[in-house]
Amino acid sequence: MRLIMIGPPGAGKGTQAERLAARMGMPHISTGDLFRIHLKASTELGRQAKRYVESGGLVPDALTEAMVWERLSQEDAREGYVLDGFPRNLAQAEEFQRRLEAARMGLDRAVYLRVAENELMRRLTGRWWCPECQATYQRTAASPGGACEACGVVLIQREDDRPATVRRRLRVYFEETAPLVGYYRDRGILLEIDGNAPVDAVARSIGERLAEDESR
Ligand code: AP5
C-alpha cells in the first residue's frame, strides 16, 4: 500500500505515519526527518537545505525530489510506504504523479489530518526532540526538556519550532501545501481525518477508515 500524509505542521503526520507504518510493516519515510539527518551530518544536501528548513520555508523542489526518488528506489519501499511531508506543493504532486504513472504504480490514499491552528501552535512550541533517534515528546513550559526515554540523550527543541518560525511554516502551508487537499480529493483518494483528538483516537479513526477501504 502506498500512502501519503498531508496536513499542517504539527498535525501529527509523523506521529501517525510511524504507527501506521509499524502496523502495516512498511517504511515510514519523512522528508523532514531525511533533511534533519542530512543537516546533522553536514552533507552537501544538508548544507543546501539548511537555510530553508531552519527558516520554515520549503526546500527547492529539485533538491527535495532527488532525495525522495533516491529513498523510494530502495528495496524496503518496493511494496509500499507511508510518505510523510511529500508532496508539499502542486509541482511536487504533479511530478510525483508522473513518476508513479511511468512506473505503473498508484497511490492508495492521501491521509489528510485537519487540526485547529491554536492546537498546532501548542503542539509545536511544546515539542522536544531526540537528536539521536528522532523520538518526539510533549513538554510544558513548567517542565521543559529532559532526556530521551529510548536512548537517554538530552532532548532539544527544533530550530523551526520557535513561535515566529512556526507562524511562517503555517503561512507556507496555507499558501503552498493546502491546495493538495483539493488535488487529492479530485483524484478520489483523500481520507479526511479529524486530527484534533488524542493520538490514540486519531490512530483509531485512520485504521477504521482504511479498514473500510479493504472491506469494499
Ligand atoms: P517536517 O519535519 O515535515 O515538518 P512539518 O510538516 O512542519 O511537520 P512536523 O514534523 O512539524 O509536524 P507533524 O505533522 O509531523 O506532527 P508530529 O507528529 O511531529 O519538515 C520540516 C522542514 O523540512 C520544512 O519546513 C521544509 O523546510 C522541509 N521540507 C520537508 N518536506 C519538504 C518538501 N516536500 N518540500 C520542500 N521542503 C520540505 O506532531 C507534532 C507534535 O504534536 C509532537 O510533539 C507530537 O507528540 C504531538 N502530537 C501529535 N499528534 C497529537 C495529538 N493527536 N494530540 C496531541 N499531541 C499530538
Side-chain angles (χ1 to χ4, degrees):
M1 187 176 270
R2 292 178 197 86
L3 300 176
I4 60 168
M5 308 292 300
I6 52 179
K13 302 181 296 295
T15 303
Q16 297 298 334
E18 189 67 44
R19 288 181 169 220
L20 255 179
R23 194 157 58 78
M24 296 173 130
M26 300 188 305
H28 164 209
I29 300 174
S30 154
T31 45
D33 284 350
L34 291 174
F35 281 129
R36 282 182 287 278
I37 289 166
H38 279 281
L39 255 64
K40 188 173 171 220
S42 269
T43 64
E44 180 53 30
L45 172 59
R47 278 192 291 276
Q48 292 184 56
K50 186 174 165 60
R51 67 188 166 106
Y52 302 101
V53 174
E54 290 185 349
S55 66
L58 293 188
V59 178
D61 292 346
L63 283 181
T64 305
E65 288 168 1
M67 177 181 79
V68 172
W69 311 148
E70 194 279 324
R71 179 62 187 89
L72 293 186
S73 71
Q74 290 174 19
E75 186 61 31
D76 66 342
R78 251 192 133 126
E79 299 302 323
Y81 41 77
V82 184
L83 185 53
D84 147 25
F86 185 91
R88 199 97 157 194
N89 58 30
L90 284 173
Q92 291 181 5
E94 277 161 6
E95 183 55 25
F96 189 30
Q97 190 60 31
R98 268 194 294 278
R99 291 239 162 192
L100 286 166
E101 281 169 12
R104 296 178 194 283
M105 289 174 180
L107 270 186
D108 293 284
R109 281 293 191 182
V111 178
Y112 164 46
L113 299 177
R114 190 174 23 81
V115 177
E117 216 169 308
N118 58 346
E119 173 68 2
L120 298 172
M121 185 56 94
R122 186 191 71 76
R123 290 182 189 176
L124 292 175
T125 53
R127 170 167 59 188
W128 287 74
W129 174 67
C130 171
E132 192 58 41
C133 72
Q134 317 209 348
T136 60
Y137 300 87
Q138 277 293 301
R139 297 286 188 258
T140 58
S143 71
C148 176
E149 287 163 19
C151 47
V153 168
V154 174
L155 301 177
I156 56 173
Q157 282 194 289
R158 272 169 49 172
E159 272 297 314
D160 61 348
D161 279 347
R162 296 165 194 262
T165 315
V166 169
R167 281 191 287 276
R168 175 161 189 227
R169 288 163 64 201
L170 286 169
R171 219 171 34 246
V172 169
Y173 169 78
F174 287 113
E175 286 170 10
E176 306 222 25
T177 313
L180 296 183
V181 172
Y183 180 86
Y184 287 112
R185 184 179 288 128
D186 290 348
R187 305 190 94 81
I189 61 166
L190 191 78
L191 201 66
E192 185 165 344
I193 302 285
D194 178 2
N196 292 287
V199 173
D200 288 345
V202 176
R204 238 183 347 265
S205 301
I206 298 174
E208 286 167 5
R209 298 284 296 278
L210 291 175
E212 282 171 22
D213 283 358
E214 277 168 24
S215 65
R216 273 195 200 121

